[in-house]
Amino acid sequence: MSRRSLFSAVLPFASGRDALAPRLEQPCAEQVATVSSANACVERHGVVCRRCVEACEHSAIRILAREKLGAAIDAAACTGCGDCIPVCPVEAIALAPRDRIELVSEFANLIVHNG
């Protein structure tokens, strides 16, 4: 199974603006924003954007410019409000269930530590 297939199974993100979750009136603790396509973030390619950082009132997003990794979202600080989603010009951010994000994070840590 390829990495793309694995992550698509765990984090099935919709494509297109209409399919993205609308801004929530009440932040949802069960949802968390995540970078759905790390390659899509223009910051990773040296383009200064930072729209998502400016939109996040909870300081849950930071740009890892030095490492050229683009946007990084702190799941613990994210409230799931979705304010960052509509401002992203390349649709690189989506909401996902918090438990799936935790599962992927644990899986990634296992790969990093065990090769």
Side-chain angles (χ1 to χ4, degrees), residues 13-67:
F13 295 106
S15 61
R17 285 272 182 217
D18 295 337
L20 291 175
R23 186 190 183 305
L24 303 172
E25 293 302 319
Q26 293 284 326
C28 180
E30 295 173 5
Q31 297 281 323
V32 64
T34 185
V35 179
S36 61
S37 177
N39 281 335
C41 181
V42 295
E43 287 278 347
R44 183 176 184 155
H45 303 288
V47 177
V48 177
C49 176
R50 302 182 195 277
R51 291 181 186 177
C52 57
V53 174
E54 294 168 1
C56 184
E57 296 178 8
H58 306 284
S59 301
I61 305 173
R62 65 188 202 293
I63 302 296
L64 302 175
R66 176 176 277 164
E67 298 88 352

Side-chain angles (χ1 to χ4, degrees), residues 91-111:
E91 302 177 6
I93 301 174
L95 288 178
R98 188 172 296 275
D99 58 345
R100 287 190 182 176
I101 298 301
E102 291 169 357
L103 176 68
V104 170
S105 179
E106 289 176 26
F107 184 67
N109 284 335
L110 286 173
I111 291 173

